[in-house]
């Protein structure tokens, strides 16, 4: 959901954690509609870093999502996404931009329709663009993961592990986009302190399956997403590196407050 160095992910479903099932698209069981909220961006210890605004609406048969985070020092993160929900959930566009006092510092984008992904980092004078292999209906990034998880929730709660693929940007060997496999699993029911409340949610873990040789050069942390429990499974929390694997791990809470607490077990 953010951006700085976060891994962007593609989905390819596994049956009961054993043999990959031939799933060609993600059926929408929880369609998304208009929504407006004000999440908070925190460091991993719960200190608030930025105020956020979340906007989601349907226009011309497409679901649009815009998430903005504003820091007191003048930095702004902005994520844009576009999806089709009929007949399946298909992500069509994603972009993430980091600016400071109006000047672009970093930009990442994926056009799922053309298969072109691009990245730009001003301080390193890096500007790359590359065609990648997109599987429509199975490839998601950014907030697309929260939407995909809400439609996979019942399967994951039954103990299935869902194997997907991810498109991510990495410093090594170049800034160009890369495709990796990820395994998604249910991490249990937890409560988390945010905005003066302690809502209960299901934790889902997105674990990148990095090739053995690449592990000697880059470490890609897991991404964790919490959805509300009981259903409907709305977004509660996100934790992971901002965009690149080497970015700081941060937290986004649905309920914004001055201090955010860690997730703790709430039983089965």
């Amino acid at each position: 959901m953010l951006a700085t160095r976060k891994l962007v992910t593609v989905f390819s479903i596994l049956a009961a954690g054993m043999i990959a099932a031939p799933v060609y698209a993600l059926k929408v069981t929880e369609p998304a509609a208009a929504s407006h909220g004000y999440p908070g961006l925190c460091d991993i210890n719960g200190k608030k870093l930025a105020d956020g605004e979340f906007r989601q609406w349907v226009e011309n048969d497409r679901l649009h999502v815009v998430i903005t985070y504003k820091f007191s020092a003048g930095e702004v993160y902005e994520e844009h996404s576009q999806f089709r929900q009929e007949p399946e959930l298909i992500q069509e566009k994603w972009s993430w931009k980091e600016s400071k006092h109006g000047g672009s510092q970093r930009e990442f984008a994926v056009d799922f329709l053309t298969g072109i992904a691009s990245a730009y980092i001003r301080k390193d004078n890096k500007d790359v663009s590359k065609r990648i292999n997109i599987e429509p209906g199975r490839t998601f990034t950014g907030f697309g993961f929260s939407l995909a998880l809400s439609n996979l929730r019942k399967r994951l709660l039954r103990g299935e592990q869902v194997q997907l693929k991810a498109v991510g940007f990495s410093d090594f060997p170049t800034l160009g986009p890369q495709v990796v496999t990820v395994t998604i699993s249910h991490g249990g029911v937890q409560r988390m302190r945010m905005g003066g409340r302690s809502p209960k949610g299901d934790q889902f873990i997105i674990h990148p399956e990095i090739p053995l040789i690449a592990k000697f050069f880059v470490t890609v942390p897991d991404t964790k997403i919490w959805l509300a429990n009981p259903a409907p499974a709305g977004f509660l929390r996100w934790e992971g590196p901002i965009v690149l694997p080497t970015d700081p791990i941060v937290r986004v809470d649905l309920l914004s407050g001055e201090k955010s607490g860690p997730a703790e077990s709430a039983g089965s």
Side-chain angles (χ1 to χ4, degrees), residues 2 40-51 69 71 77 193 226 237-242 247-253 257-263:
L2 312 187
L41 174 63
C42 308
D43 67 17
I44 197 59
N45 295 314
K47 180 182 177 181
K48 188 175 179 181
L49 302 176
D51 291 316
Y69 300 98
F71 297 73
Y77 296 167
R193 190 72 177 171
W226 286 259
R237 172 175 285 182
W238 179 96
E239 286 183 356
I242 300 176
D247 278 348
I249 295 178
V250 295
R251 173 186 297 165
V252 173
D253 280 348
E258 290 305 314
K259 182 67 177 177
S260 168

Side-chain angles (χ1 to χ4, degrees), residues 180-251:
V180 300
T181 297
V182 297
T183 301
I184 300 180
S185 60
H186 181 232
V189 181
Q190 301 173 337
R191 288 193 181 274
M192 56 218 79
R193 190 72 177 171
M194 63 173 78
R197 303 181 65 178
S198 297
K200 184 172 68 172
D202 287 293
Q203 181 198 65
F204 298 97
I205 301 169
I206 303 174
H207 175 70
E209 304 291 350
I210 305 301
L212 182 60
I213 189 170
K215 290 183 178 180
F216 291 102
F217 304 100
V218 61
T219 299
V220 182
D222 291 348
T223 293
K224 299 174 183 177
I225 296 176
W226 286 259
L227 300 181
N229 179 309
F235 171 83
L236 272 183
R237 172 175 285 182
W238 179 96
E239 286 183 356
I242 300 176
V243 175
L244 301 177
T246 50
D247 278 348
I249 295 178
V250 295
R251 173 186 297 165

